[in-house]
Amino acid sequence: MSDRIQKILSRHGIASRRGAEQIIQAGRVKINGIIVTELGTKADPNCDRIEVDGKLLHMQAPEFVYLLINKPVGVVSTCDDPQGRTTVLDVLPSAYQHLYPVGRLDYNSSGALILTNDGEFANYLMHPRHHVTKTYSVWVRNIPSPNILHQWRSGIILDGKMTLPATVNILQVDQSRSQPRTQLEIILSEGRNRQIRRMAEQLGHPVLSLHRLAIASIPLGDLKSGTYRPLCDREITQLYPAHNRDRD
């Protein structure tokens, strides 16, 4: 059965749907010996010879893997880094080097990050329309006023666009140091680049540390820094309702 080539690559764990589109546009895909760069080109993986970077796509889709990792500070959430920094794949055993992160958590942040080779799953979680929530514990400088908290909850302008409403609660205030600091619980339903850090800076309370506690209903729990565990079927289905159903 013919399907769009980016969907085929995604289902075979080559990359997320968006990543597969970039691979196609870069001229790295051949169908029956012909390079294809047009998105939406269709192929039948059971009949057509599909190659990525010269390697034949196996007709049998690989077994999908879903891992939750507690990313340490000082690790980049990419598969490779031009600057030679430690990546999340460096934290994992060799058996998991074919996985890729779902979304990002910046270099100076820690906490929950999912890695998989299931492109459809990754594409679903990263698509803005699904508003997958993420919960953070964030220490900020000084003590935000009620007005600042209201702005944070209601949304502010970033890059010319209003941020979505967020949950922002004070967990504790530490005044034992020369400069006070406040621990906040922040729940976002969108994932703009470095959103919490940029909002905090704009509101006058720079982030001192940022730790992601949960992705949707999946908590990090007592998973230690740099360690990981597989997601169970129930958790995968909670994140991606189409799991265990026939995919369209």
Side-chain angles (χ1 to χ4, degrees), residues 28-243:
R28 295 166 56 190
V29 177
K30 288 183 180 180
I31 300 176
N32 299 324
I34 300 173
I35 295 175
V36 295
T37 57
E38 184 177 347
L39 300 180
T41 299
K42 290 191 174 183
D44 184 342
N46 295 312
C47 301
D48 295 313
R49 180 182 177 87
I50 302 171
E51 298 172 75
V52 180
D53 294 332
K55 295 180 180 180
L56 184 64
L57 188 71
H58 295 295
M59 295 304 101
Q60 183 65 37
E63 179 181 354
F64 290 130
V65 178
Y66 310 85
L67 295 184
L68 176 68
I69 186 173
N70 184 348
K71 186 193 89 67
V73 170
V75 171
V76 292
S77 54
T78 56
C79 296
D80 55 74
D81 181 64
Q83 300 178 42
R85 296 173 295 182
T86 301
T87 73
V88 284
L89 293 188
D90 294 326
V91 179
L92 298 175
S94 58
Y96 295 130
Q97 296 303 299
H98 63 299
L99 305 183
Y100 48 86
V102 180
R104 295 196 177 188
L105 194 57
D106 71 51
Y107 182 78
N108 293 313
S109 300
S110 61
L113 184 69
I114 292 173
L115 293 98
T116 188
N117 58 334
D118 184 345
E120 292 295 305
F121 171 86
N123 186 65
Y124 180 90
L125 288 190
M126 291 189 291
H127 201 291
R129 75 168 177 265
H130 295 128
H131 300 297
V132 176
T133 61
K134 297 178 179 67
T135 304
Y136 301 84
S137 169
V138 184
W139 282 97
V140 299
R141 188 174 298 164
N142 293 320
I143 305 169
S145 67
N147 179 56
I148 291 295
L149 292 174
H150 175 73
Q151 291 182 59
W152 211 327
R153 291 164 180 152
S154 301
I156 64 172
I157 300 293
L158 278 184
D159 299 326
K161 182 180 178 182
M162 182 73 75
T163 59
L164 294 179
T167 299
V168 183
N169 296 315
I170 291 180
L171 297 179
Q172 62 174 309
V173 174
D174 178 9
Q175 301 190 69
S176 64
R177 306 184 179 195
S178 58
Q179 187 170 50
R181 60 178 187 155
T182 303
Q183 184 185 24
L184 302 173
E185 176 194 61
I186 300 176
I187 303 176
L188 298 183
S189 58
E190 61 181 340
R192 301 199 207 176
N193 182 41
R194 304 183 76 251
Q195 181 171 338
I196 291 177
R197 292 183 183 276
R198 293 165 64 205
M199 291 182 73
E201 187 75 32
Q202 189 167 315
L203 292 169
H205 295 275
V207 167
L208 302 174
S209 68
L210 188 153
H211 183 69
R212 186 188 286 163
L213 298 170
I215 298 173
S217 59
I218 313 301
L220 194 61
D222 58 1
L223 203 61
K224 297 185 184 303
S225 178
T227 63
Y228 62 91
R229 67 170 178 84
L231 296 178
C232 66
D233 280 348
R234 173 183 53 81
E235 292 173 322
I236 298 166
T237 303
Q238 287 174 354
L239 292 168
Y240 180 46
H243 183 61

